[in-house]
């Protein structure tokens, strides 16, 4: 393995001009960068660039030295900043690389201009700005055409990566075929490893898209070759990325035990490198393996930790993927509201990142995991969204899932129509029963019947005494009550006490009494 010594003592005490000193530091930084030790590469620039996020110190340097320092600082800002989730790292990287590009153009250095275009394209690609990355790489290839150099091979390979990210798989395949001959002639294990790794990623996507086993077999071979070259180069970071990709591929092949083995290697490498962002992506893959094995609670815990780590960075596509996995786990644990929120956020993030395929898959997952708890209208809306996002896709797996969701939506609509029809039938029957119940009804008769019940109760409570019953019923004059009994409720007259006639005195008797008193 060709790993550079981390000692910088040979740069101290030498009688060098500021430009020579800066260019030596840039060369040492590039050696560490190619071995994957980005922190050592940053340290190699020394006082020229104290830390990520700060502007390089260019005072006293000539234009070429300034451009070289700016270019390395820009590249490392994107690499270190993305790894450590430094805010606006990719924007800063683009600014520094663009500044170096302007100086190289002023110097007329075509090769360095092309290199700056390639690195600037990578910065745009990390932000999922694929159109901008594609244009920059075309500009670089126009300058390098026919040179057969490492830079031309690198530009072709990164163009293939961009097309693969844009799901333009056939275009990507052609670019890899063109680049393959150039990479075969190179001596660099790092560059060869990068070629085999990115080519394997394309074959992996083709295996998914076309459901062809031979692509999966070729992808395993290419990933294995990439792992060998990165190990020979001492590039632990790229080696770890390949181990993670192998884990994903083996998961798709239902070889779960082997997948765990490769993911454990990736975890160990990224942990040693203190690369939290890539470690979170490994954990997201591990969560998917755990879900496939039925270890749902552990999968939810692992996916949740991955989401929290990725939320600190500015790369939306990996975060969207982690949210989908977390949403699946939550749904299977019965946490339906949280699952719905995670999956909707995943679709929005993926769409914002320009990853229409990822957004469509998130919408499909929402139906697959929560469709039983969604209305037919919501299912149809999510299906239409997924179909629009995946329009023109030739990915057989996605199309099969989309077709299954269409069937789910149709069944949900039919079920709701049946339920609505059943409800209408019940209402009609209730209406019929109600109509039958009110046939022959008379409000006057019902009021009179209830009035009779109250009068009878009052007479009973008053022991048949009419005046007391009238008082209980609120009549001011019992004669009114008596009139009501006599005229409207004659059938209740038996409940009152008998009427006792008042005795009357004759005129003769009253006179006799009067005379007796006088006497």
């Amino acid at each position: 393995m060709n790993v550079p010594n981390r000692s910088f003592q040979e740069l101290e005490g030498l009688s060098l001009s500021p430009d020579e000193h800066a260019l030596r530091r840039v060369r040492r930084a590039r050696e560490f960068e190619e071995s994957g030790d980005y922190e050592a590469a940053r340290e190699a620039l020394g006082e020229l660039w104290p830390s990520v996020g700060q502007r390089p110190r260019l005072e006293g340097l000539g234009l070429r030295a300034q451009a070289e320092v700016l270019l390395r600082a820009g590249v490392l800002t994107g690499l270190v900043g993305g790894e450590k989730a430094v805010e606006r790292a990719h924007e800063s990287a683009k600014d520094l690389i663009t500044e170096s590009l302007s100086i190289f153009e002023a110097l007329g250095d075509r090769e360095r201009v092309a290199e700056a275009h390639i690195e600037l394209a990578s910065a745009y690609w990390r932000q999922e700005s694929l159109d901008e990355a594609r244009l920059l790489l075309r500009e670089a290839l126009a300058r390098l055409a026919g040179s057969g150099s490492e830079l031309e091979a690198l530009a072709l390979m990164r163009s293939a990566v961009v097309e693969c990210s844009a799901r333009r798989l056939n275009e990507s395949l052609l670019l890899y075929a063109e680049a393959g001959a150039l990479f075969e002639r190179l001596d660099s294990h790092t560059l060869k490893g990068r070629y085999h790794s990115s080519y394997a990623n394309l074959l992996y996507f083709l295996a998914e898209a076309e459901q062809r086993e031979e692509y999966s077999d070729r992808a395993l071979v290419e990933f294995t070759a990439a792992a060998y070259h990165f190990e020979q180069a001492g590039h632990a970071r790229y080696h770890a990325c390949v181990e993670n990709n192998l884990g994903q591929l083996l998961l798709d092949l239902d070889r779960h035990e082997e997948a765990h083995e490769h993911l454990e290697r990736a975890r160990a490498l990224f942990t040693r490198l203190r690369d939290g962002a890539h470690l979170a992506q490994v954990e997201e893959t591990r969560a998917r393996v755990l879900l496939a094995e039925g270890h749902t609670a552990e999968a939810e815990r692992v996916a949740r930790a991955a989401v929290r780590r990725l939320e600190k960075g500015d790369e939306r596509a990996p975060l969207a993927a982690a949210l989908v996995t977390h949403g699946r786990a939550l749904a299977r644990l019965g946490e339906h509201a949280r699952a719905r929120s995670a999956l909707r956020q995943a679709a929005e993030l993926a769409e914002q990142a320009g990853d229409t395929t990822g957004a469509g898959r998130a919408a499909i997952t929402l139906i697959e995991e929560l469709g039983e708890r969604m209305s037919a209208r919501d299912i149809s809306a999510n299906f239409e969204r997924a179909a629009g996002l995946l329009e023109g896709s030739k990915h057989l797996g996605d199309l099969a899932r989309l077709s299954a969701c269409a069937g789910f939506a149709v069944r949900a609509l039919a079920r709701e129509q049946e339920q609505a029809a059943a409800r209408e039938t019940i209402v009609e029957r209730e209406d019929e029963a109600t109509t039958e119940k009110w046939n022959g009804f008379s409000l006057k008769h019902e009021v009179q019947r209830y009035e009779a019940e109250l009068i009878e109760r009052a007479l009973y409570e008053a022991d048949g005494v009419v005046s007391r019953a009238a008082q209980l019923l609120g009549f001011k004059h019992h004669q009114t009550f008596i009139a009501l009994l006599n005229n409207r409720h004659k059938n209740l007259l038996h409940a009152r006490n008998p009427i006792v006639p008042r005795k009357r005195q004759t005129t003769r008797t009253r006179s006799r009494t009067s005379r007796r008193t006088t006497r």
Side-chain angles (χ1 to χ4, degrees):
M1 291 184 290
N2 182 26
V3 181
N5 190 335
R6 290 187 66 125
S7 173
F8 307 117
Q9 291 180 353
E10 71 273 18
L11 296 178
E12 306 298 333
L14 295 177
S15 179
L16 299 172
S17 69
D19 280 14
E20 289 172 332
H21 181 78
L23 292 173
R24 285 202 180 194
R25 283 198 172 278
V26 166
R27 282 194 296 272
R28 174 54 64 88
R30 186 159 192 163
E31 289 173 3
F32 283 116
E33 182 188 318
E34 289 180 353
S35 70
D37 194 341
Y38 302 143
E39 188 57 35
R42 187 197 62 75
E43 292 174 5
L45 288 175
E47 75 285 352
L48 294 171
W49 189 43
S51 65
V52 175
Q54 292 189 15
R55 179 173 173 76
R57 296 171 180 171
L58 306 176
E59 295 81 4
L61 298 180
L63 288 177
R64 179 166 297 280
Q66 288 183 32
E68 294 288 358
V69 172
L70 286 165
L71 180 58
R72 287 280 62 77
V75 171
L76 289 169
T77 294
L79 296 171
V80 178
E83 167 193 324
K84 295 188 175 181
V86 177
E87 188 177 358
R88 291 185 53 79
H90 295 310
E91 291 299 327
S92 297
K94 290 191 295 186
D95 291 343
L96 292 169
I97 296 170
T98 300
E99 191 174 350
S100 75
L101 173 61
S102 297
I103 298 174
F104 284 131
E105 284 180 333
L107 293 171
D109 191 330
R110 290 175 59 84
E111 186 172 288
R112 282 290 186 266
V113 168
E115 182 180 358
H117 274 105
I118 294 170
E119 298 298 350
L120 188 56
S122 293
Y124 275 104
W125 171 74
R126 290 189 190 98
Q127 289 186 304
E128 294 92 33
S129 299
L130 303 183
D131 291 337
E132 292 83 350
R134 184 181 293 114
L135 291 172
L136 287 163
L137 288 166
R138 285 176 182 169
E139 178 68 24
L141 285 168
R143 294 173 181 272
L144 297 166
S147 66
S149 63
E150 285 189 7
L151 280 178
E152 184 180 11
L154 184 61
L156 283 169
M157 183 189 72
R158 291 194 178 174
S159 295
V161 170
V162 169
E163 300 307 334
C164 184
S165 297
R167 301 296 191 268
R168 297 170 61 178
L169 303 184
N170 290 329
E171 291 85 346
S172 181
L173 197 60
L174 291 172
L175 287 164
Y176 276 116
E178 186 178 353
L182 294 178
F183 277 96
E184 283 298 319
R185 297 198 295 266
L186 301 180
D187 295 326
S188 170
H189 279 296
T190 296
L191 286 176
K192 285 186 174 182
R194 288 166 73 179
Y195 172 77
H196 286 293
S197 175
S198 58
Y199 185 30
N201 282 327
L202 171 64
L203 293 169
Y204 181 14
F205 287 133
L206 284 168
E208 282 189 320
E210 300 183 16
Q211 303 289 293
R212 288 172 58 180
E213 190 175 344
E214 61 266 30
Y215 280 135
S216 297
D217 293 339
R218 287 173 61 189
L220 282 172
V221 170
E222 292 295 327
F223 276 135
T224 303
Y228 166 78
H229 284 295
F230 288 139
E231 191 171 11
Q232 292 299 307
H235 203 309
R237 193 177 313 277
Y238 284 177
H239 186 189
C241 289
V242 170
E243 295 291 351
N244 181 50
N245 291 338
L246 276 166
Q248 294 184 38
L249 178 54
L250 290 164
L251 165 62
D252 290 349
L253 297 173
D254 293 325
R255 292 158 62 173
H256 300 153
E257 188 174 344
E258 292 176 74
H260 277 302
E261 291 174 4
H262 286 281
L263 293 173
E264 283 301 319
R265 290 177 200 159
R267 287 179 71 195
L269 288 166
F270 282 130
T271 299
R272 192 180 78 198
L273 293 167
R274 298 178 182 178
D275 187 339
H278 281 100
L279 183 59
Q281 293 180 44
V282 173
E283 291 297 87
E284 186 272 327
T285 307
R286 191 163 73 91
R288 284 193 279 129
V289 178
L290 290 168
L291 270 179
E293 293 175 321
H295 304 309
T296 309
E298 187 178 359
E300 187 279 327
R301 178 183 59 79
V302 172
R304 176 168 20 101
V307 168
R308 287 177 178 173
R309 183 63 186 79
L310 290 166
E311 282 176 337
K312 298 176 182 177
D314 58 357
E315 294 190 33
R316 291 168 290 185
L319 175 57
L323 282 165
V324 168
T325 303
H326 191 217
R328 280 189 184 277
L330 287 169
R332 296 177 191 185
L333 288 173
E335 297 279 352
H336 302 118
R338 292 175 61 200
R340 185 178 295 106
S341 175
L343 292 169
R344 285 177 175 171
Q345 186 183 356
E348 290 168 5
L349 279 172
E351 196 166 3
Q352 289 169 10
D355 181 9
T356 55
T357 299
R361 289 174 177 174
I364 289 174
T365 303
L366 186 62
I367 298 173
E368 291 172 337
E369 298 295 337
L370 298 171
E372 294 293 343
R373 295 181 172 272
M374 295 166 63
S375 68
R377 179 178 294 180
D378 284 344
I379 294 170
S380 298
N382 278 281
F383 170 74
E384 288 177 7
R385 182 182 185 188
L389 290 164
L390 296 171
E391 186 178 4
S393 172
K394 296 180 181 178
H395 192 291
L396 296 182
D398 288 344
L399 295 176
R401 292 175 69 193
L402 198 59
S403 177
C405 287
F408 196 98
V410 169
R411 289 191 296 275
L413 285 167
R415 185 169 59 251
E416 283 200 1
Q417 288 174 354
E418 289 174 1
Q419 291 170 350
R423 284 194 297 270
E424 286 179 7
T425 302
I426 291 171
V427 170
E428 287 173 1
R429 288 175 180 173
E430 289 177 347
D431 288 345
E432 290 173 3
T434 301
T435 301
E436 184 176 346
K437 178 181 177 181
W438 286 84
N439 280 341
F441 178 82
S442 168
L443 178 61
K444 181 179 179 181
H445 173 75
E446 290 297 317
V447 169
Q448 190 169 332
R449 182 181 62 81
Y450 185 55
E451 186 178 69
E453 289 178 2
L454 292 174
I455 291 171
E456 187 175 16
R457 179 67 179 270
L459 287 168
Y460 174 79
E461 295 288 342
D463 294 326
V465 178
V466 172
S467 58
R468 287 176 58 193
Q471 187 178 9
L472 291 174
L473 291 169
F475 287 95
K476 291 183 179 180
H477 305 288
H478 70 275
Q479 289 88 350
T480 306
F481 176 52
I482 292 171
L484 182 64
L485 275 174
N486 291 332
N487 295 321
R488 199 153 69 198
H489 297 289
K490 292 179 181 179
N491 60 324
L492 295 177
L493 288 172
H494 70 277
R496 64 167 293 178
N497 287 344
I499 302 173
V500 179
R502 179 180 295 177
K503 294 181 179 181
R504 295 183 179 179
Q505 293 178 329
T506 64
T507 305
R508 184 177 179 183
T509 304
R510 284 198 300 272
S511 299
R512 207 179 275 167
T513 303
S514 176
R515 286 197 299 271
R516 188 180 299 121
T517 303
T518 303
R519 288 177 184 174

